[in-house]
Amino acid sequence: MNDWPEGWSGDNRGSGYGRGSASARPESARVMRQVRRGATPPGPGPSAPPHGAGVPQQPSYTDGQGYGGDGYDSGYNTGQVYGGGGGGQGPGRQVRDRPAPDWRRRIKWTAITVVTALVVTTVGTYFWADSKLNREVDLSKVIERPEAGEGTNYLIVGSDSREGMTDEQKKDLHTGSAEGKRTDSMMILHTGDNGSTLISLPRDSDVEIPSFVGSESGKKYPGTGRHTKLNAAYAEDGPELLVRTVEHNTGLRLDHYVEIGFAGFANIVDAVGGVEMDIPQDIKDKKSGADFQKGKQTLNGEEALAFVRTRYALAGSDLDRTKNQQKFLSALASQVATPSTVLNPFKLYPTMGAGLDSLIVDKDMGLFDLASMFWAMKSVSGGDGTSMNMPVSGSVGGNLKWDDAKVKKLVEELKNDEKVTVSGN
């Protein structure tokens, strides 16, 4: 059998593919020079045959796979002399097919990674925030407390504490330099199934100081029927006596206590980027530093503090001031609870840091209780709740006297978590 392609033989090996041949045609893969596979054998390689000398002798098959002892692969059994044709691949030029991406697996692990990161961040944030709460008020020291009713009642106090403020801050915020601290505003926030109710307690309210146990001494002081302004209770023995006095004069049990000072209030407002308020009239008050024109405007921390402290420039004095405080705190809570704050870590963490650093709460207060309080205040500003002053019937000794009948009705509705029907001043 002739091993050469058709038309070739030992007699015509030099007749078809010389230079200038008129019948030139491409060489078949079977008669082209062998492609070298593997290492070059030692010694000089074979020289090209002279023109017209024909095709050199092909290597013999010694292993049945087309590989000779000299390290050359003819590629005849696969057709892969130059990488084209057949289905096999030469040992020196393998091309690996890349597997198609497993998108289901990728999506699964991406989701697991994102969820894990969110869980770790949330848990870390919770413990970080919880550790910053100043749980300084011990309500277990309060004696002779009323029975608990439905819903939750918070006593929210704004104090005039200057603790931690520099002289420059005191000047900028128009706080003065009085020692100690007094209550500048007091509110009861009730939350329940029938909406939220925010009730301001005027600082000049006439109240009876009941028997109490000293927060520091532990000594019991019997009640003498002494009447004074409500904010004097705080000045006398701090938050515990204030809670005791409010509960004694209203008959409403308070579940939690929250207090914030001047500097903390201003810092929270600045952290959220200011709070938009619609000021109903021009206000100018040298004592508080307020200088506002009527209309919508965004108040920064310094301006906000001046706004909620102003009373001498208002016709209703302290009663009008408490209304402004309610409006502003509700607007602030609404601003804090917006997605632009909650979902933005660059705004959320500074806001939480500013707020938690400056808040003083009771020992049983948790982050969820605090969040519930803010959401309730937001609902009040959104029209889903009620805001009012404690009903007042007149004055006695220069102090505001509460309307006993209305107060009794109001407390009864709050205890039963009913819709409030009583109106305040």
Side-chain angles (χ1 to χ4, degrees):
M1 177 182 294
N2 190 346
D3 289 334
W4 297 99
E6 181 181 356
W8 284 74
S9 68
D11 298 332
N12 63 3
R13 286 179 302 215
S15 63
Y17 291 93
R19 287 191 296 263
S21 171
S23 60
R25 57 177 177 168
E27 292 179 307
S28 167
R30 294 177 59 100
V31 298
M32 297 173 72
R33 287 289 302 270
Q34 302 91 324
V35 176
R36 188 175 186 103
R37 308 292 188 186
T40 304
S47 59
H51 173 65
V55 178
Q57 181 67 36
Q58 302 299 312
S60 62
Y61 291 85
T62 59
D63 59 0
Q65 298 297 326
Y67 298 99
D70 59 356
Y72 289 85
D73 172 23
S74 65
Y76 290 164
N77 66 321
T78 64
Q80 296 298 311
V81 177
Y82 290 106
Q89 295 178 349
R93 293 183 56 120
Q94 294 184 357
V95 179
R96 298 179 181 177
D97 292 335
R98 298 181 62 181
D102 188 345
W103 290 108
R104 181 176 298 178
R105 182 182 178 86
R106 290 187 181 185
I107 293 173
K108 171 186 174 182
W109 283 106
T110 299
I112 291 175
T113 302
V114 170
V115 170
T116 301
L118 287 175
V119 170
V120 171
T121 301
T122 301
V123 172
T125 299
Y126 176 86
F127 284 105
W128 167 78
D130 187 71
S131 68
K132 295 179 76 67
L133 274 179
N134 300 310
R135 297 182 174 94
E136 300 178 7
V137 179
D138 188 356
L139 296 183
S140 67
K141 295 179 180 179
V142 181
I143 62 173
E144 302 174 21
R145 309 191 67 185
E147 291 293 327
E150 300 293 327
T152 304
N153 300 309
Y154 300 82
L155 181 61
I156 304 171
V157 174
S159 76
D160 64 358
S161 171
R162 287 108 173 142
E163 185 177 352
M165 295 176 64
T166 65
D167 291 339
E168 184 177 356
Q169 287 176 318
K170 293 176 183 178
K171 181 180 178 181
D172 292 340
L173 298 177
H174 301 271
T175 65
S177 300
E179 296 297 328
K181 58 181 181 179
R182 288 149 293 277
T183 51
D184 211 49
S185 61
M186 292 159 283
M187 302 179 190
I188 294 175
L189 174 66
H190 173 83
T191 64
D193 295 333
N194 285 294
S196 302
T197 304
L198 185 61
I199 308 163
S200 287
L201 310 176
R203 56 180 282 177
D204 294 338
S205 297
D206 183 79
V207 295
E208 178 185 352
I209 301 296
S211 58
F212 67 96
V213 173
S215 58
E216 297 294 335
S217 66
K219 179 182 177 181
K220 184 173 181 178
Y221 297 89
T224 61
R226 173 170 56 100
H227 279 247
T228 185
K229 294 180 179 180
L230 179 58
N231 67 339
Y234 182 96
E236 186 172 333
D237 199 54
E240 288 85 358
L241 179 53
L242 178 61
V243 170
R244 168 73 175 128
T245 301
V246 172
E247 289 187 342
H248 175 77
N249 285 269
T250 62
L252 182 68
R253 186 184 181 98
L254 301 173
D255 301 292
H256 293 294
Y257 177 91
V258 181
E259 177 187 325
I260 187 170
F262 282 163
F265 179 83
N267 290 339
I268 293 175
V269 174
D270 286 334
V272 298
V275 176
E276 185 179 76
M277 287 294 297
D278 189 357
I279 299 179
Q281 66 184 75
D282 294 346
I283 300 176
K284 192 172 183 65
D285 185 355
K286 290 183 179 180
K287 290 193 175 183
S288 68
D291 188 3
F292 305 111
Q293 292 184 341
K294 179 181 178 180
K296 286 187 177 181
Q297 51 204 283
T298 299
L299 307 184
N300 61 26
E302 178 183 338
E303 295 166 337
L305 185 59
F307 177 72
V308 299
R309 294 181 62 219
T310 295
R311 64 169 173 161
Y312 294 104
L314 304 175
S317 188
D318 199 40
L319 292 177
D320 282 351
R321 177 172 70 165
T322 56
K323 293 176 182 178
N324 285 341
Q325 290 170 346
Q326 289 178 351
K327 292 177 183 178
F328 186 85
L329 288 179
S330 295
L332 174 60
S334 182
Q335 178 71 19
V336 170
T338 57
S340 62
T341 298
V342 176
L343 301 180
N344 183 354
F346 297 103
K347 184 178 287 188
L348 175 64
Y349 285 98
T351 301
M352 292 179 65
L356 296 173
D357 279 340
S358 56
L359 289 178
I360 296 175
V361 300
D362 65 89
K363 293 184 179 297
D364 294 327
M365 187 77 155
L367 289 178
F368 290 109
D369 298 311
L370 195 60
S372 176
M373 184 192 80
F374 270 97
W375 281 106
M377 292 183 69
K378 179 182 178 182
S379 71
V380 170
S381 67
D384 295 329
T386 302
S387 61
M388 58 184 290
N389 278 323
M390 186 64 82
V392 173
S393 61
S395 63
V396 54
N399 299 334
L400 296 173
K401 188 178 186 313
W402 293 349
D403 187 319
D404 292 336
K406 285 188 176 182
V407 170
K408 182 178 180 180
K409 178 65 174 176
L410 172 63
V411 170
E412 183 180 317
E413 291 175 339
L414 294 177
K415 278 187 172 182
N416 296 326
D417 194 25
E418 298 172 350
K419 187 71 175 177
V420 171
T421 60
V422 177
S423 59
N425 298 80

